[in-house]
């Protein structure tokens, strides 16, 4: 087996060693991806040993990522892997949400069941493993969100020092609180996001810090396990559609790559179509794809949405995501703040719950079925990317009618659930309960 890094740019395709510390192609600046040369594995044999591993008590067999390691064989020594038993996330039926989305049936793959509460764990376990195999002692990212929470946990669990860099005065407390608790050293820099990214690259070079930002190809490899596990749980029947929210578009890239590789090996016999949903105030990929190549990619300098996990104006992985949307005959849609908030309340009322960015999926499905782009009888899996407890403030405001969109417009609590103040009086309460 030989693993290497390849430039994603089809005009370049330069190859590099798997242990070279590179974040972009040194020749053309393009995105990098991991590639493998190995004899074609036997799909029946793989399915069999992956099932067997579920019965094992070995830590890497219990991981819903490392169980599938034949699909991303970049490590030479498995002892570099760090597992918190990530993955293993359920497929959940939700009749109420299906009806809301205009579907006969919907299944949610809930990545919020991960150790730090988001799908970032699927990728981070691989990113941190690579840092360890490279002999790095420190890892860093620029993020206040789920990436920092996840990186902090995996780095600390793996004996590395996590460093988080964030713009001064621009803090999202819920997720940053996790990062602090998991032991990350956190630096608030007086600069904007792009300036901090440039600064961290200088520091990475100088101090030998390994960067675990969204373009890290090993994180993408790990995130492939989300769709691999999904197919395993469905006994290898590919759905018609997989719907996911789009921010930096790393997950879209990972899903597309994972699905194509599964089809090449013969684990599945067709590609599901990908539907990527963005928030209206942060939808540069939607706008680019809608223009169908007539205009170059244009970043949004001031992305705005309450769904902070997809509040991304300049998504780094867009070239890969474009390729995967085209390969899968997919679509890109966008939804309003009101649509996200209502869809989120419906997912909650289904007994499932998720963070705002995740609810963009159901909001997008409702739009796509209404427009006839997704058939009402289609087999649809929507990926809920983050846990309901990531953003409790949003939830309370929605249900009590206090939620406002970034533009200041009120968001109507169409599915609001207000707490009721009552007197200490059993008769009165009996009457209210009815
Ligand atoms: C990171 C994240 C996203 C966006 O994923 P991308 O790979 O950046 O497109 C969506 N939802 C949640 C909860 C996230 O943490
Ligand atoms: Zn290149």
């Amino acid at each position: 087996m030989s693993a290497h890094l390849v430039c994603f740019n089809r005009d370049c395709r330069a190859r590099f060693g798997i242990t070279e510390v590179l974040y972009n192609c040194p020749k053309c600046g393009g995105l990098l991806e991991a590639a493998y040369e190995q004899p074609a594995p036997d799909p029946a044999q793989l399915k069999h040993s992956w099932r067997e591993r579920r019965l094992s008590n070995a830590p890497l067999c219990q991981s819903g990522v490392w169980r599938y390691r034949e699909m991303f064989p970049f490590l030479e020594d498995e002892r570099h892997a760090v597992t918190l038993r990530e993955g293993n996330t359920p497929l959940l039926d939700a009749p109420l949400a299906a009806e809301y989305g205009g579907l006969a049936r919907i299944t949610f793959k809930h990545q919020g069941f991960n150790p730090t509460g988001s799908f970032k764990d699927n990728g981070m376990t691989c990113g941190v493993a690579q840092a360890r195999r490279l002999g790095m002692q420190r890892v860093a990212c620029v993020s206040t969100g789920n990436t920092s929470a996840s990186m902090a946990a995996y780095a600390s669990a793996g004996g590395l020092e996590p460093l988080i860099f964030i713009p001064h005065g621009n803090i999202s407390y819920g997720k940053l609180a996790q990062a602090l608790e998991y032991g990350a050293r956190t630096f608030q820099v007086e600069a904007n996001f792009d300036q901090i990214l440039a600064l961290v690259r200088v520091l990475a070079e100088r101090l030998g810090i390994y960067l675990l930002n969204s373009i890290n190809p090993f994180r993408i490899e790990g995130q492939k396990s989300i769709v691999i596990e999904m197919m395993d749980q469905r006994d290898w029947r590919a759905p018609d559609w997989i719907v996911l929210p789009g921010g930096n578009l790393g997950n879209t890239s990972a899903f597309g790559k994972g699905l194509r590789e599964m089809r090449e090996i013969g684990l599945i016999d067709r590609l599901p179509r990908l539907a990527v949903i963005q928030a209206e105030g942060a939808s540069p990929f939607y706008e680019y794809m809608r223009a169908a190549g007539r205009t170059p990619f244009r970043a949004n300098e001031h992305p705005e949405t309450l769904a902070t996990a997809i509040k991304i104006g300049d998504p780094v992985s867009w070239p890969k995501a474009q390729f995967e949307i085209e390969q899968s005959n997919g679509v890109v849609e966008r939804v309003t703040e009101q649509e996200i908030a209502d869809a989120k309340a419906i997912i909650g009322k289904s007994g499932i719950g998720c963070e705002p960015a995740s609810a963009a999926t159901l909001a997008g499905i409702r739009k796509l079925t209404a427009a006839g782009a997704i058939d009402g009888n289609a087999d649809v899996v929507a990926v809920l990317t983050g846990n309901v407890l990531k953003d409790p403030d949003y939830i309370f405001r929605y249900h009590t009618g206090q939620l406002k969109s970034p533009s200041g417009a009120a968001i109507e609590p169409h599915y609001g659930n207000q707490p009721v103040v009552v007197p200490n009086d059993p008769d009165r309460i009996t009457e209210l309960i009815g």
Side-chain angles (χ1 to χ4, degrees), residues 117-120 145-147 175 214 219-220 223 244-254 276-278 307-312 315-317 355-359 383-387 390:
S118 84
F119 77 80
K120 299 299 193 293
N146 288 328
T147 295
K175 299 169 187 178
S214 165
R219 283 181 56 193
I220 304 272
Q223 285 169 214
L244 73 162
N248 257 319
L249 301 169
N251 222 17
T252 306
S253 311
V276 173
I277 318 297
Q278 298 207 289
T308 51
I310 51 173
K311 186 177 160 186
I312 307 284
V316 290
S317 290
E355 73 165 276
S358 313
V383 177
L384 301 180
T385 44
N387 191 283
K390 288 280 187 176

Side-chain angles (χ1 to χ4, degrees), residues 6-9 11-14 16 25-32:
V6 187
C7 177
F8 181 75
N9 182 350
D11 300 327
C12 174
R13 290 310 260 176
F16 308 94
C25 173
K27 295 221 168 89
C28 77
L31 298 167
L32 296 172

